[in-house]
Amino acid sequence: MLRRIWAVMLKEIRHILRDRITLVLVALAPTFLLFLLAYALTTDIHHVPVAILDMDRSPTSRAFIQQMLLGDDLDLYAQVLTMDELEDLLLDGEVKAALVLHPAFEHDLLSLRGLALQIVVDGTEPQSGGFVVEHIGRRVEDFAAQLLSAQLKARGVSLESLQPIDLRIRTWYNPNMKSKVDLVPGLISMVLGLPGLSVALTLAREHEHGTMEQIMVTPVGRAELLLGKMTPYVITGLANVILSTIIALVWFRVPFRGSFGLFFSLSVIFLFAILSVGIVLGVFIRTQAASLALSFLVIFFPGFFLTGIFFPLASMPSIVRLESYSLPGTHYAHITRASFITGAGLDVLWPYGAALMGMGIVLTAIAAFSFRKKLR
């Protein structure tokens, strides 16, 4: 039995090395796709161009502007003199937001009457505008608190004594709230679905070229044929698991807090499940074009919307959530994020591994049964 599986494995390895499309799909595409999607879909915003109109021109307003521009979040594009100049910059799209300090800025702030400040944002890019409003809002609070603290200290009053509520916010696992820390592990679960697409294509190719019937008249059994075809893609998939983890750690600087041995073992089970999906598709679809289209619809496309990578599962309707948990990528996304970000162990991850194993066994059994029926 092992000898026949080995023979099928060698045949499939030769095909992978000989066929450039298959080689790219299983060896290069996952890594390339991880880079592409991580940079394209990241929501960390930096270097937003802004304009400033300072009508006060006081030492306090200048200190305030300096604090607003600390770091690489906002870039000062221009400091204008009139509202017309500011409007022209927004209309031309040269700046995404503007900060207007009114003439009574210093006087109102020092007399504790309020903050004479206006933020104008370009609504055609709500994400950038919302980021500017949030960023300036935080800096305004810090600036006002520092100024108020200095005034109260001069009068011998502590700022803490005036605050009846002691609110302390602590963010666990991703304290800086960087989107790449959450996004990259989720994307790993999506790009590693490509081996499933590849195995569906290779079975369709056998049907399309008429070589499947020739294989079946050999002493190779159906289970041996399926195992022999799956194994090379499991091996290449595991190589991509290691490579993707290295890229996440070294290039994107995503922390890995869990056990790599556990993560690697669960990745084997995921690849078994996703390749089982590909085998089922390859059994029923006879052409490579149709197999490619259906594989994208079943394996790759749902990864964007139904696996919880971009949209929380809790916000989905019950029937959609049920559909999501029928996908291997949903369970593996939990595994990748928990392994990288929270450092969860087997006590937390075993239900996801068990679900993947169950999917793999059921789908492989369906493929073997349908395979036998089709070739009788």
Side-chain angles (χ1 to χ4, degrees):
M1 179 179 177
L2 291 177
R3 184 178 178 183
R4 290 191 289 270
I5 293 174
W6 178 254
V8 177
M9 281 178 53
L10 290 179
K11 172 187 175 300
E12 200 59 36
I13 290 171
R14 292 192 187 99
H15 162 69
I16 292 172
L17 296 175
R18 187 168 56 245
D19 187 85
R20 293 181 180 178
I21 295 177
T22 306
L23 181 61
V24 169
L25 276 176
V26 301
L28 302 177
T31 303
F32 172 76
L33 205 57
L34 179 62
F35 269 109
L36 179 66
L37 294 177
Y39 279 110
L41 300 174
T42 182
T43 56
D44 290 332
I45 301 176
H46 300 289
H47 302 291
V48 179
V50 298
I52 294 178
L53 172 58
D54 183 6
M55 296 189 230
D56 188 37
R57 297 180 178 276
S58 64
T60 303
S61 67
R62 288 193 291 270
F64 176 77
I65 292 171
Q66 186 177 9
Q67 181 157 332
M68 291 303 104
L69 299 174
L70 289 175
D72 59 355
D73 294 325
L74 304 181
D75 288 343
L76 178 60
Y77 182 85
Q79 194 156 356
V80 298
L81 300 176
T82 65
M83 285 294 295
D84 290 336
E85 293 180 63
L86 187 149
E87 185 176 350
D88 289 339
L89 290 175
L90 285 168
L91 190 61
D92 294 338
E94 296 182 42
V95 298
K96 298 304 175 187
L99 191 61
V100 180
L101 279 63
H102 292 273
F105 180 84
E106 182 180 58
H107 178 267
D108 288 351
L109 185 59
L110 294 179
S111 60
L112 304 180
R113 293 182 179 178
L115 199 64
L117 174 69
Q118 181 183 12
I119 303 173
V120 184
V121 299
D122 182 357
T124 61
E125 289 192 15
Q127 192 173 20
S128 297
F131 171 77
V132 171
V133 172
E134 182 183 356
H135 174 83
I136 293 178
R138 291 197 306 266
R139 293 291 175 87
V140 165
E141 291 177 2
D142 293 341
F143 185 82
Q146 291 174 9
L147 192 64
L148 179 61
S149 179
Q151 288 187 353
L152 292 175
K153 188 176 181 181
R155 299 176 186 178
V157 181
S158 171
L159 179 63
E160 289 75 13
S161 64
L162 301 178
Q163 295 179 341
I165 299 175
D166 184 11
L167 177 63
R168 302 183 185 185
I169 300 174
R170 182 180 178 187
T171 304
W172 284 15
Y173 311 126
N174 185 11
N176 296 322
M177 299 293 288
K178 291 185 177 179
S179 62
K180 284 184 180 178
V181 173
D182 168 72
L183 181 63
V184 171
L187 289 176
I188 290 176
S189 69
M190 189 168 68
V191 301
L192 289 179
L194 288 177
L197 185 149
S198 303
V199 78
L201 282 177
T202 192
L203 285 172
R205 174 181 55 84
E206 300 283 7
H207 286 301
E208 202 172 49
H209 294 174
T211 56
M212 185 63 73
E213 285 76 7
Q214 298 176 19
I215 294 174
M216 290 306 298
V217 298
T218 67
V220 177
R222 297 172 182 84
E224 295 165 348
L225 175 63
L226 294 178
L227 286 174
K229 282 191 169 294
M230 287 176 65
T231 305
Y233 296 98
V234 171
I235 295 172
T236 55
L238 291 175
N240 278 297
V241 169
I242 297 173
L243 186 58
S244 298
T245 303
I246 293 173
I247 291 172
L249 293 174
V250 177
W251 187 266
F252 294 109
R253 301 192 180 280
V254 178
F256 190 94
R257 297 189 174 97
S259 165
F260 183 76
L262 176 61
F263 173 62
F264 191 79
S265 302
L266 293 172
S267 298
V268 175
I269 301 174
F270 166 72
L271 289 169
F272 170 58
I274 202 69
L275 288 171
S276 300
V277 176
I279 283 178
V280 171
L281 296 176
V283 165
F284 287 99
I285 306 300
R286 296 304 184 103
T287 65
Q288 293 186 76
S291 179
L292 181 63
L294 190 60
S295 296
F296 264 101
L297 289 175
V298 174
I299 296 176
F300 197 73
F301 186 72
F304 279 95
F305 304 105
L306 299 179
T307 57
I309 297 175
F310 303 107
F311 307 101
L313 295 177
S315 65
M316 298 180 183
S318 300
I319 189 169
V320 178
R321 202 179 310 136
L322 185 62
E323 182 182 354
S324 298
Y325 279 108
S326 68
L327 300 171
T330 303
H331 300 278
Y332 193 56
H334 281 287
I335 291 171
T336 54
R337 281 173 163 167
S339 297
F340 274 87
I341 303 173
T342 65
L346 184 61
D347 57 327
V348 174
L349 299 179
W350 75 263
Y352 305 110
L356 290 173
M357 180 62 77
M359 289 181 189
I361 293 172
V362 170
L363 291 172
T364 302
I366 292 173
F369 180 71
S370 304
F371 198 49
R372 183 183 62 190
K373 287 177 63 178
K374 294 230 174 236
L375 294 179
R376 264 184 174 176

